[in-house]
Amino acid sequence: MNPIYETADARVRAVTIRPAHAADLDAVLAIRNHAIEHGTALWTDTPQSRDEGAAWLAAHLARGSAYVAECAASVVGFGVYGPWKDYSGFRHTVENSVYVAEGQHGRGIGAALLGTLITSAEAAGLHVMIAGIESGNAASVRLHERHGFEHAGTVREVGTKFGRWLDLTLMRRQLG
Ligand SMILES: CC(C)(COP(=O)(O)OP(=O)(O)OC[C@H]1O[C@@H](n2cnc3c(N)ncnc32)[C@H](O)[C@@H]1OP(=O)(O)O)[C@@H](O)C(=O)NCCC(=O)NCCS
C-alpha cells in the first residue's frame, strides 16, 4: 500500500499513514480507551464500548475523515476530523483529534497524522480546523504550533478529571 503522506523525518520512515478501515476498530478503540483511562486528552472517565466506537468510526469513514498510522502491520495511532458544531453555519469548520499509542510518542507519528488531516481537510474544501487541547498538554500544543495553528484563547476550568479542574486551549488553523 502506498503511503498517502510522505515525510523526510527518519523517525517515521517505517510508518505509513493511510485511510482508516472498519477493520481498524479494535486497534483504534484500544488507543482511544487507553487515553480515556490514563490521560486528560479526553474529558470522560467512561471507556467507549465497541458499539459506540463502531458508530463513531463509521461516521468518519462515511466522510473520509479518519486515518491511521501503521507500523509493522500494527496500528500505532489515528487521526480524525469532524464537525466542530452541529449548526449549519459552522459547516466549513472542523475539529481534529490525534492519538498515538503509548510507547510510540515522540517519533513524529502525531506530526505525520496531523499533516495528513490538514491535507485531507483542504482537499475537501474546508475552511478552518480547530483543536481543543487540555492546556497542560505540551506535546499537543507544540504539535499544533508546528503545523501552523494559532492560539485562539484559553478557557479556564471548563472541565474536570482526576479530581482537578482542566483548562481548554483552543487553536485554529486556516485551511487552503
Ligand atoms: C499529542 C500526541 C498526539 C503527539 O504525537 P507524537 O507522535 O508523540 O508527537 P511528535 O513526535 O509528532 O512530535 C510533535 C511535536 O511535539 C513535540 N513534543 C513531543 N512530545 C513532547 C512533550 N512531551 N513536550 C513538549 N513537546 C513535545 C515534538 O518535539 C514535536 O515538536 P518539534 O517538531 O518541534 O520537534 C501524542 O503525544 C499523544 O497521542 N498523546 C496522548 C493523546 C493526546 O494528547 N492527543 C491530543 C489531544 S488534543
Side-chain angles (χ1 to χ4, degrees):
M1 179 170 309
N2 293 325
I4 64 156
Y5 180 81
E6 299 279 0
T7 173
D9 190 330
R11 298 171 302 172
V12 286
R13 279 199 191 130
V15 176
T16 298
I17 309 295
R18 62 161 173 80
H21 309 313
D24 297 319
L25 175 63
D26 288 330
V28 167
L29 207 54
I31 295 170
R32 192 174 155 95
N33 281 339
H34 186 277
I36 288 174
E37 284 173 44
H38 299 282
T40 51
L42 278 160
W43 297 2
T44 175
D45 301 312
T46 310
Q48 199 172 37
S49 71
R50 203 164 186 281
D51 284 350
E52 290 165 343
W56 169 85
L57 184 57
H60 282 296
L61 296 183
R63 280 194 294 267
S65 58
Y67 294 84
V68 295
E70 198 174 58
C71 183
S74 291
V75 170
V76 292
F78 71 89
V80 299
Y81 62 86
W84 185 40
K85 293 184 184 293
D86 286 337
Y87 290 110
S88 64
F90 290 98
R91 66 188 177 279
H92 300 296
T93 300
V94 287
E95 180 169 11
N96 76 61
S97 301
V98 178
Y99 289 82
V100 174
E102 193 69 23
Q104 302 285 340
H105 294 181
R107 291 182 59 208
I109 296 171
L113 282 164
L114 183 55
T116 299
L117 295 183
I118 292 166
T119 301
S120 169
E122 288 184 330
L126 291 157
H127 187 60
V128 167
M129 184 174 278
I130 297 286
I133 304 171
E134 191 265 306
S135 300
N137 190 345
S140 187
V141 169
R142 177 74 181 154
L143 171 68
H144 286 85
E145 286 173 345
R146 290 284 275 172
H147 283 79
F149 283 73
E150 61 192 13
H151 286 257
T154 295
V155 200
R156 293 190 57 237
E157 300 189 357
V158 287
T160 184
K161 192 169 180 180
F162 303 144
R164 61 187 176 88
W165 293 116
L166 300 174
D167 299 346
L168 184 69
T169 291
L170 290 171
M171 298 187 74
R172 173 195 183 276
R173 189 190 193 282
Q174 192 82 34
L175 300 171

